[in-house]
Amino acid sequence: MKVKVEPEQLLASMTYAEKLAQLQIVWRPDSGESGNLARTGAGALFWPASAQATNALQRIAVEESRHGIPLLIGLDVVHGQFTIFPTPLAQAASFDPEVARADARLSAKEARSNGVNWTFSPMIDVSRDPRWGRVVEGFGEDPYLNAVFGEAKIRGYQGDDLSSEASMAACAKHFVGYSAAEGGRDYNTTDISLQRLRNVYLEPFRVAVAAGVASLMASFNAVSGVPMHANREMLTDVLKNEWGHGGIVVADAGGVGELVDHGIAADAADAGRLALSAGLDVEMGGSLLSDGEPIIREDLLDSARLDDAVLRVLRLKQALGLFDNPYVDESTAATGPDETSLSAARDTAARCAVLLKNDDGVLPLKPRGQRVLVVGPYAESKDHLGAWVQYFASPTTTSIAESLTEALPGSVVTTLPGATFFGSNPSRQAEAAAAAAAAAAEADLVIVAVGEPSDLSGEASSRSSLNLPGDQEQLIRAIAGSGTPFAVVLMTGRPLVVSEWIDQCPALLVAWHLGTEAGKAISDVLTGAVNPGGKLPMSFPRSVGQVPIYYNHESTGRPARIGGSLAHERPDVGLTGPNNTDDYYKSKYLDLELGPQFGFGHGLSYTSFELESSTDQALSATLDELRAGSRITFSTIVRNTGRRDGDEVVQLYVSDPLASVTRPVRQLRGFTRVFVPAGEERRVSLTISLDDLGFWTNDHHAGYIVEPGEFQVGIGNGLTSQDFSLTVTPRSP
Ligand code: BGC
């Protein structure tokens, strides 16, 4: 008979060394080593790549270690285990949190069936510098979008019950400020004001903790000079005490040892002591033991802090149901995608595509009777999986050319074999571009499939240039010279600079890295089987020199105006010349037009929409009502004025033009993606509450405040906006 063991009881019988052993996830050990570690009571291991191997290690931990404590089994399941979904940045472009939830549910099912019970995902680092390769892993430049998508992922992974065979513990990362790396260079120094820290970088994590995330990962950077792996103020005061996080804080790989490189720890033992004392619970990528012996002197660690860390680990194991059943059913473990996961991967991928330009209705492709040429490195490539996949991920099933051939039986789809355009031999590339142009002249329409290979984004993959790599821009210009209409399909892990060719290019579809079913999903969008409805979660800059550029910057003293309007008020004006600003002494570049090339929230459709407000343009509320939980509703009618059914994303932005600190010019605080059949209309209502009107002050004790006054609320679709005013008074007169 099984005796029920409580974490507290276990803790009481553990030695100092056994406690420390629970506090480490062992970094990709080889198989023999894993067995020994499980036997000596290790807390967590990386997934050993099969259900059988996981069961074998759990059996050693349960049957051969002194306390029989099962193992946490961790893995980065970021956008899929076997079935690969769109990258997180692509998912954010769907503006449909259901996309993230579906990925997380299906990924959790595949992973947990194989014994993975802990994923190091989601990444909710607000990312405003596309040079930083890790922008691909998060949800873009907006704190609210990161919070909403992060929460959807966490709920998807964890479900209602962590012990279910389709759930695993999530890990919100990287806590906090990692994405602010100077120069966009991964692992570089960060310097973040308290305003930005509280209102931008911490916000998605605060929401993740409120949603019950099981763990958070410390980040590699320092905040105010204190590296996060030893930052007691953030790990303990804010995260655990202020927010009440009851789960684990895990190190990033090697992050504890790097306290030595940061220059705040003398050696590994000192680093471990600093990290645990600051509130870190689990070490990753290093070790707190050497040959089974603790490296930190016992009297140097507060025993209550140590016990707290161990209890957090044991309680997570308990919540995951591991004490009751540490094993998985090997006969039903997933070994690859199935019909359900592939169909979800295809549907979600198509929802992430963003149509940035479509002059003269070049897209969608006509159903028959066309000669369609598909060129560029992505015509036949299957490199669509994105940056965070493991070697066992299921490859992309079909290329764009293959999918289009299948989808357009009444047309002739051809490719140009052999042209890669990633090369550096100028004469060969010029020759290839000329051949492509000649073939284009014989076609009715050309699809130019270009982009960044998956491995140009992700960890340690910062770029100083945001142009298309290789000679792909030369290819686009050559096709433009052929006179044949064409559309560029852009595969990418980050916003790119497209300014050198966008004016010559009639249509641009951003297809990110869309995963296992990317080819089919892209073909669905190109043929119009799916009408694109995504919007940009990150601005596309005009030049790398503008970076960081993001829509929700704070008001400045000298904003540039074009014809009387601020750039952010007229996203439709955009492209006026640099010297068209109304006044010279304003914030601008002498050699660049104002604003991004394509801004946050922008995205077109094959149909057209009109928005018409259907609520009073002037609303009011009292602070008392808002504190009591009342919500203010803004409604709009979305009319599909075109000839195709389609999706529109209605976005709600709040601004606070007069406050005691400088506030962002506007902030996304609500959105909904709505399907509207051709010729029909739908009413969309979005609400805001107290949480949408205030900000965190510079005074830790004052916390979050809402200042009464006039607020502006804009409801729009990234192109047009209707403005409402909201008056908040302290109380009813
Ligand atoms: C990354 C983390 C990741 C960890 C484990 C680190 O290098 O920064 O995001 O979870 O590796 O794979």
Side-chain angles (χ1 to χ4, degrees), residues 27-28 46 75-76 78 119-121 123 134 137 171 173-174 178 186-187 217-218 220 251-254 284 388 390 459:
W27 179 244
R28 308 205 166 123
F46 263 80
L75 184 69
D76 295 272
V78 175
T119 176
F120 305 118
S121 171
M123 185 186 105
R134 300 198 81 167
E137 298 175 41
C171 180
K173 70 188 189 187
H174 305 84
Y178 178 34
D186 205 6
Y187 317 123
M217 184 182 286
F220 289 129
D252 201 345
M284 179 197 282
W388 239 130
Q390 318 273 352
E459 189 173 349

Side-chain angles (χ1 to χ4, degrees), residues 11 48 101 154 171 224 254 257 290 302 421 455 501 575 675 709 712:
L11 180 74
R101 212 191 63 90
I154 290 161
C171 180
S224 298
S290 169
D302 176 60
F421 298 96
D455 59 12
W501 47 269
L575 290 164
F675 171 74
Q712 285 163 5

Side-chain angles (χ1 to χ4, degrees), residues 354-365 445 486-488 502 505-509 525-526 531-532 598 602-607 644:
V354 185
L355 183 66
L356 288 181
K357 189 173 176 188
N358 194 22
D359 289 354
D360 308 321
V362 170
L363 292 176
L365 299 173
L445 193 127
F486 69 99
V488 168
I502 190 68
C505 161
L508 171 60
L509 180 76
V525 175
L526 291 175
N531 191 348
F598 295 105
H602 177 76
L604 306 172
S605 164
Y606 296 149
T607 188
R644 279 173 183 271

